[in-house]
């Protein structure tokens, strides 16, 4: 089947959803009003709260939420065929994911740019808020493990890829010094940006020669050594000043992200790749070599970020609400950025399904398991020769996505000789996508953990506390590093998907309580319906994963510790999320019965305005 008509239909659906449905949410459900003073203006400190142009905020928000999920999840879900993944990516993003991001951003903006646990505390109660705080810490640890193992599988024994990714770190540090320290009081952007893009391109080309030289052995590292390197990187990115590593590196990766997405979109429109996968494979009934469970419920935790992601709630209630200049811009930033991320997932699924099925499974399944499948490969040997890397058994999704992307660009006239460069550029693209989330996510986890540590020793709660900084960062890194060290994509990704989706359910049910508490119960179905669907599918997947994967690991010699840790983590997060969801639901019922809600006065409002704003007239553009 030709992929171009599908892509055009999906783009049309996204356009209609943004133009009409997001306008309905903004005007009727939340009555966004630019007369309300946003936290960026109310608390403008030039550091955290800074009113920013809407497209700058959009770029920041998209860069922060776009991690491995929209690349890895759809690629792994191709096992079920192209139809289930596409349907969930589109319907999930329009009706659940974009709604989730938008409502959380609005809720945080109305609560002075505070975090999701603070919103839970204000709208539901202090005990539930503490449970949500602990759930966020667990989710961050699991999310970082899920993202890190993808990078490990992509960079293992690949000198070209590891060299290029490693070079991006000193390049970013030079950019940081150039942008923020060379001329104090003046931030330089243009020259460092040009330098960063050109230097990264040079590193990509140099990686080809390094891989064929005597230096290759230095960069051909096994998985466990790469895990240690990632842990050191995550710790440094969390503890060093943001201008030194995290901010310039994330800024540099934004160019790669946007440029690659645009190029892949153009490539699909020019090449018109054919989908080699059927709409539904026999694995929708279970027994798949990548995802052993049935399409329901495991599709909905395999594809997380491209359809709905609880991790986005940490961004929508973290840095982004502190930058919003006008309240109505939350529609573009919250709803719009999620649609763009879903488009990334659609392109990833198209790239994966454009491969021959035998080649796809040979890459994404361990060799011993693939040998038992009896499925012949078609172009695997030729593809390995073209990209200059052995491809068999490179599980986790990034390699098959890179191969699919390289095949699409291979079909463009004049690009056939550059296939190996396109492949390694795709690996660079994915790794930078993921590392951007690892460094930001580790720092977010450190902030939340320091808040918890402050309950025991108050000075630890200060973000500038060096002991609190080091202890919290070290704890977060050690936890996700341990999960990656003894885990695999088959054990960690379901854990990540489950925690991620349950965090989304927490955010949706909390904002349902917000709507009821603030006199908008008639619109609460907009968040209750997706929350209910996510809860049913996610808890079903959690129970099945625990019984079929983690519990047997806990009783098998050699995997007992890992099995018990993952069983406890899964059980703890499900219990905590269920508690928050139940208490949020009870809060809604109590409010409807006339019991006053416990929330702190929502803010910030314009001086003199002490009540929620009146409903704005509905406009669809």
């Amino acid at each position: 089947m030709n992929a171009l008509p599908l892509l055009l239909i999906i783009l049309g659906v996204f356009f209609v959803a943004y133009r009409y449905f997001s306008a309905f949410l903004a005007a009727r459900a939340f009555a966004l009003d630019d007369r309300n003073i946003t936290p960026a203006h109310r608390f403008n400190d030039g550091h955290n709260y800074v009113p920013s142009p809407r497209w700058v905020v959009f770029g920041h928000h998209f860069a922060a939420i776009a991690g491995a999920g929209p690349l890895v999840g759809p690629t792994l879900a191709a096992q079920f065929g192209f139809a289930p993944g596409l349907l969930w990516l589109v319907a999930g993003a329009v009706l659940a994911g974009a709604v989730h991001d938008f409502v959380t951003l609005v809720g945080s903006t109305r609560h002075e740019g505070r975090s999701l646990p603070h919103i839970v505390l204000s709208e539901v109660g202090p005990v539930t808020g503490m449970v949500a705080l602990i759930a966020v810490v667990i989710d961050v640890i699991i999310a970082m493990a899920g993202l890190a193992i993808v990078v490990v599988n992509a960079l293992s024994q690949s000198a070209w890829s590891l060299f290029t990714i490693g070079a991006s770190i000193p390049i970013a540090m030079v950019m940081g010094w150039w942008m923020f320290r060379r001329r104090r009081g003046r931030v330089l952007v243009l020259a460092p940006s040009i330098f960063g893009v050109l230097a990264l391109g040079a590193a990509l080309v140099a990686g080809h020669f390094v891989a064929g030289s005597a230096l290759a052995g230095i960069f051909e590292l096994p998985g466990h050594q790469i895990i240690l390197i990632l842990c050191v990187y995550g710790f440094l990115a969390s503890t060093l000043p943001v201008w030194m590593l995290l901010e310039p590196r994330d800024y540099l990766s934004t160019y790669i992200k946007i440029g690659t997405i645009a190029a892949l979109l153009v490539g699909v429109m020019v090449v018109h790749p054919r989908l080699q996968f059927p709409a539904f494979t026999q694995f929708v009934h279970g027994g798949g070599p990548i995802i052993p469970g049935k399409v329901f419920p495991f599709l909905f935790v395999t594809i997380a970020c491209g359809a709905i992601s609880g991790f986005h709630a940490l961004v929508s209630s973290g840095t982004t609400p502190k930058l919003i200049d006008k309240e109505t811009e939350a529609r573009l930033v919250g709803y719009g950025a999620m649609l763009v991320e879903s488009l990334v997932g659609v392109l990833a699924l198209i790239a994966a399904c454009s491969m021959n099925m035998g080649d796809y499974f040979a890459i994404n399944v361990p060799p011993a398991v693939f040998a038992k499948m009896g499925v012949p490969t078609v172009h695997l040997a030729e593809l390995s020769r073209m990209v200059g890397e052995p491809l068999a058994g490179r599980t986790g999704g990034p390699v098959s996505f890179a191969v699919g992307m390289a095949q699409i660009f291979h079909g463009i006239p004049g690009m056939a000789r550059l296939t190996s460069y396109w492949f390694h550029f795709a690996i660079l693209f994915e790794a930078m996508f993921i590392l951007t989330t690892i460094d930001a996510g580790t720092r977010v986890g450190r902030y939340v953990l320091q808040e918890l540590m402050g309950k025991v020793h108050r000075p630890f709660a200060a973000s500038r506390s060096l002991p609190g900084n080091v202890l919290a960062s070290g704890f977060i890194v050690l936890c996700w590093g341990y999960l990656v060290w003894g885990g695999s994509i088959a054990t960690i990704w379901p854990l990540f998907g489950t925690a991620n989706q349950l965090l989304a359910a927490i955010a949706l049910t909390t904002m349902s309580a917000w709507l009821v508490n603030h006199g908008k119960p008639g619109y609460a179905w907009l968040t209750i319906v997706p929350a209910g669907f996510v809860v049913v599918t996610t808890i079903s997947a959690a129970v099945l994963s625990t019984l079929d994967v983690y519990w047997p690991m806990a009783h098998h010699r050699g995997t007992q510790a890992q099995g018990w840790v993952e069983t406890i983590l899964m059980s703890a997060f499900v219990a905590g999320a269920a508690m928050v969801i139940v208490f949020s639901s009870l809060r809604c019922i109590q409010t409807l019965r006339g019991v006053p809600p416990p929330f702190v006065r929502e803010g910030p409002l314009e001086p003199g305005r002490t009540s929620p704003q009146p409903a704005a007239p509905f406009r669809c553009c």
Side-chain angles (χ1 to χ4, degrees):
M1 180 178 181
N2 194 318
L4 183 59
L6 281 176
L7 181 60
L8 294 177
I9 292 171
I10 290 169
L11 289 173
V13 171
F14 286 165
F15 174 80
V16 172
Y18 179 78
R19 184 176 177 86
Y20 294 100
F21 185 51
S22 70
F24 173 78
L25 285 169
R28 292 293 180 85
F30 290 91
L32 300 187
D33 191 340
D34 286 341
R35 292 176 296 172
N36 292 333
I37 299 176
T38 63
H41 287 283
R42 190 178 182 91
F43 305 106
N44 187 355
D45 60 5
H47 184 67
N48 293 311
Y49 292 85
V50 182
S52 305
R54 60 178 180 173
W55 288 109
V56 173
V57 181
F58 179 92
H60 157 77
H61 187 77
F62 173 73
I65 66 174
L71 298 172
V72 177
T75 302
L76 299 178
Q79 167 193 281
F80 299 121
F82 67 83
L86 285 180
L87 289 172
W88 174 231
L89 283 167
V90 177
V94 168
L95 301 175
V99 173
H100 164 272
D101 291 16
F102 169 76
V103 301
T104 308
L105 179 57
V106 172
S108 181
T109 302
R110 299 276 177 87
H111 281 84
E112 303 179 346
R114 302 292 294 274
S115 66
L116 176 61
H118 175 83
I119 301 174
V120 176
L121 182 149
S122 300
E123 299 293 337
V124 183
V127 175
T128 314
M130 180 59 66
V131 173
L133 193 66
I134 297 172
V136 166
V137 173
I138 297 175
D139 179 76
V140 168
I141 291 171
I142 295 173
M144 295 305 98
L147 300 175
I149 197 166
V150 172
V151 177
V152 171
N153 290 343
L155 301 183
S156 178
Q157 302 295 341
S158 176
W160 189 343
S161 299
L162 186 59
F163 172 83
T164 308
I165 290 299
S168 70
I169 296 175
I171 291 172
M173 297 184 76
V174 171
M175 288 179 63
W177 171 81
W178 196 344
M179 293 172 68
F180 299 101
R181 285 294 183 269
R182 186 180 179 187
R183 297 186 182 180
R184 293 183 179 274
R186 180 184 174 190
V187 177
L188 302 178
V189 176
L190 181 60
S193 300
I194 295 173
F195 161 77
V197 172
L198 293 178
L200 199 59
L204 178 65
V205 175
H208 171 70
F209 297 99
V210 169
S213 71
L215 297 174
I218 300 176
F219 297 96
E220 288 181 352
L221 301 181
H224 282 167
Q225 292 187 28
I226 295 177
I227 293 172
L228 294 176
I229 293 173
L230 285 179
C231 288
V232 172
Y233 169 76
F235 178 81
L236 292 176
S238 177
T239 54
L240 291 175
V242 290
W243 65 265
M244 188 177 293
L245 178 58
L246 185 144
E247 193 171 10
R249 195 185 181 290
D250 291 356
Y251 175 76
L252 177 62
S253 71
T254 301
Y255 286 99
I256 305 299
K257 292 178 181 181
I258 295 175
T260 305
I261 293 167
L264 188 54
L265 187 62
V266 172
V268 171
M269 292 184 174
V270 171
V271 177
H272 301 184
R274 296 193 62 81
L275 301 179
Q276 303 294 324
F277 280 54
F280 301 92
T281 69
Q282 70 270 30
F283 300 122
V284 296
H285 304 295
I290 301 173
I291 306 164
K294 297 180 180 179
V295 67
F296 182 91
F298 287 98
L299 172 71
F300 305 101
V301 295
T302 301
I303 298 180
C305 300
I308 181 171
S309 169
F311 188 80
H312 295 186
L314 304 182
V315 179
S316 294
S317 64
T319 54
T320 303
K322 299 176 178 63
L323 306 177
I324 293 286
D325 181 42
K326 298 178 180 179
E327 196 174 75
T328 54
E329 294 173 0
R331 176 189 169 202
L332 170 69
V333 176
Y335 199 96
M338 180 59 207
L339 294 185
V340 177
E341 183 176 22
S342 181
L343 177 61
V344 175
V346 169
L347 293 173
L349 185 61
I350 289 174
C353 291
S354 65
M355 299 173 58
N356 177 271
M357 288 187 66
D359 297 338
Y360 166 85
F361 284 116
I363 295 172
N364 284 285
V365 176
V369 177
F370 178 73
K372 299 177 181 178
M373 292 180 63
V375 179
T377 60
V378 178
H379 303 296
L380 186 65
E382 180 184 358
L383 289 170
S384 297
R385 179 185 57 80
M386 289 169 56
V387 304
E389 297 274 1
L391 299 176
R394 300 285 292 277
T395 62
V399 172
S400 53
F401 167 79
V403 171
M405 180 176 168
Q407 278 189 314
I408 291 174
F409 287 122
H410 181 83
I412 299 176
M415 292 289 183
R417 295 183 178 180
L418 301 176
T419 303
S420 61
Y421 286 95
W422 281 119
F423 171 83
H424 287 92
F425 178 80
I427 294 292
L428 170 67
F429 163 71
E430 291 178 289
M432 293 195 74
F433 240 102
I434 297 165
L435 290 179
T436 299
T437 308
I438 287 179
D439 52 31
T442 302
R443 185 174 285 261
V444 168
R446 188 254 289 182
Y447 288 152
V448 177
L449 185 57
Q450 279 190 260
E451 187 173 343
L452 272 174
M453 292 165 59
K455 306 295 183 183
V456 179
H457 184 56
R458 184 176 294 273
F460 282 158
S463 61
R464 295 187 178 183
S465 168
L466 182 60
N469 188 327
V470 172
L471 288 174
S473 298
F475 180 80
I476 295 291
V477 168
L478 284 175
C479 287
W480 65 252
Y482 172 78
L483 289 176
V484 178
W485 188 273
S488 66
I489 194 69
T491 60
I492 293 179
W493 197 259
L495 189 66
F496 161 67
T498 301
N500 201 42
Q501 304 302 69
L502 284 177
L503 185 59
I506 289 174
L508 287 169
T509 52
T510 300
M511 290 311 297
S512 300
W514 186 96
L515 287 167
V516 175
N517 288 342
H518 294 272
K520 297 264 186 181
Y523 296 101
W525 65 271
L526 293 166
T527 50
I528 290 175
V529 171
F533 180 81
V534 170
V535 168
V536 170
T537 56
T538 307
I539 290 184
S540 299
V543 171
L544 292 174
S545 294
T546 302
L547 295 178
D548 297 339
V549 180
Y550 305 130
W551 189 250
M553 285 177 60
H555 293 79
H556 187 274
R557 180 174 299 178
T559 61
Q560 294 100 325
Q562 190 80 10
W564 277 112
V565 167
E566 294 181 353
T567 299
I568 293 170
L569 278 177
M570 181 73 85
S571 303
F573 196 86
V574 169
M579 184 182 299
V580 176
I581 292 167
V582 169
F583 286 164
S584 298
S585 303
L586 291 175
R587 178 67 261 169
C588 293
I589 296 172
Q590 290 174 334
T591 302
L592 292 173
R593 290 180 175 178
V595 179
F599 61 81
V600 179
R601 183 184 68 81
E602 78 168 31
L605 295 175
E606 196 174 14
R609 299 188 65 193
T610 57
S611 62
Q613 62 273 38
F618 172 63
R619 291 178 293 180
C620 56
C621 58

